[in-house]
Amino acid sequence: MRKPLMAGNWKMYKTPAETAAFFEKFLPLVAASNHADILICPPYVNIAAAVAAARGSNVEVGGQNLHTANKEGAYTGEITGAMLRAAGCSAAIVGHSERRQYFGETCATVLQRTLAALDAGLRPVVCVGERLEERESGRTEEVLAAQFRDGIAKLTPEQFGWIAIAYEPVWAIGTGKTATPDMAADAHRYLRSLVRQAYGAEAAAGVRILYGGSVKPDNVRGLMAQPEIDGALVGGASLDPVSFASIVNF
Ligand code: 13P
């Protein structure tokens, strides 16, 4: 039985003061939510505020990215996984489609960042997903297979055991267009079959595959009712404490 992972990706939103205010409202709403692991990934400058606010609670804090190298050095504007870990993070999102689209992320750098996260003791949440034109031209599985092959399948079985996968169809992110539960479950089933081929049945049964893309309080139940969907990676709707709590408590 896979424990759901309900994760919030705050992207480039909120100040430290707004972060503290969020946690003050959010924590009581999820204090009894032991059915799921809960993760919030704020912008770097808010990690200290989030970790301080979440101390002693059931909410973990993660990064949204990290540098490909796991060693400190002269890389202006970058941070290492070890820094995230030392700041109190337990996880990091890797390979988000916005990083692929706007910041030149490739499957090769996704793999490097995944390895850097693992090296630092962070659990990577590795994102994959097809763009609209790829879905419309019937290439969804081909795209997922390539992202899996080049970005995930090069991990050792032991390394693979630490990751979660997030299926985020790019056309559903921030657009209000959610994949239907059936569409998402099809993609998750396909991804799990790739895991089975690469790492075997036990790994396939154990890995958590989250869905992301316009998850809201009013569509989360239908998605989470799919046995293939093991959690959510939530953008916009994770910024409001009441909204994200109702998603966590689907
Ligand atoms: P939205 O929930 O705003 O569509 O964003 C999804 C996402 O990109 C989470 O990583």
Side-chain angles (χ1 to χ4, degrees):
M1 194 55 196
R2 298 180 292 267
K3 188 175 187 185
L5 170 58
M6 307 305 277
N9 173 10
W10 281 3
K11 308 191 179 183
M12 197 168 71
Y13 289 92
K14 292 194 193 291
T15 63
E18 288 164 349
T19 300
F22 173 96
F23 274 86
E24 199 176 311
K25 280 205 183 140
F26 180 67
L27 290 179
L29 300 174
V30 299
S33 307
N34 299 319
H35 63 285
D37 292 332
I38 307 169
L39 175 69
I40 290 184
C41 301
Y44 296 141
V45 293
N46 299 337
I47 285 172
V51 167
R55 190 161 288 127
S57 80
N58 53 341
V59 177
E60 295 185 23
V61 178
Q64 297 177 12
N65 186 32
L66 72 162
H67 188 54
T68 51
N70 53 20
K71 199 166 157 285
E72 59 188 357
Y75 298 102
T76 301
E78 293 293 315
I79 61 146
T80 63
M83 292 171 187
L84 287 176
R85 191 81 185 102
C89 290
S90 59
I93 299 169
V94 176
H96 191 279
S97 64
E98 286 152 16
R99 305 269 345 146
R100 296 180 193 253
Q101 186 177 352
Y102 305 125
F103 303 102
E105 193 86 54
T106 63
C107 291
T109 59
V110 171
L111 176 64
Q112 287 177 318
R113 290 185 214 282
T114 305
L115 292 169
L118 289 165
D119 234 50
L122 298 165
R123 289 177 177 273
V125 178
V126 184
C127 302
V128 295
E130 80 288 358
R131 296 195 306 261
L132 183 61
E133 65 273 21
E134 294 166 337
R135 173 161 286 265
E136 287 180 341
S137 58
R139 294 173 52 223
T140 298
E141 292 193 350
E142 184 192 318
V143 169
L144 295 179
Q147 290 174 343
F148 183 83
R149 182 191 63 225
D150 299 335
I152 297 176
K154 292 183 164 67
L155 300 174
T156 66
E158 216 237 306
Q159 289 167 334
F160 181 82
W162 288 91
I163 77 165
I165 298 172
Y167 169 62
E168 296 209 318
V170 178
W171 49 270
I173 294 177
T175 58
K177 282 191 210 160
T178 332
T180 64
D182 284 336
M183 280 161 87
D186 282 347
H188 284 219
R189 208 170 289 116
Y190 180 66
L191 285 165
R192 209 177 293 284
S193 78
L194 297 175
V195 175
R196 197 173 301 113
Q197 284 164 35
Y199 296 102
E202 202 177 316
V207 67
R208 291 190 286 196
I209 306 180
L210 318 186
Y211 169 78
S214 297
V215 176
K216 307 285 177 212
D218 62 4
N219 61 25
V220 65
R221 288 187 80 155
L223 290 161
M224 292 304 296
Q226 295 283 344
E228 277 296 334
I229 299 181
D230 307 316
L233 182 54
V234 185
S238 72
L239 294 169
D240 177 78
V242 174
S243 152
F244 190 45
S246 78
I247 289 173
V248 168
N249 296 325
F250 62 91

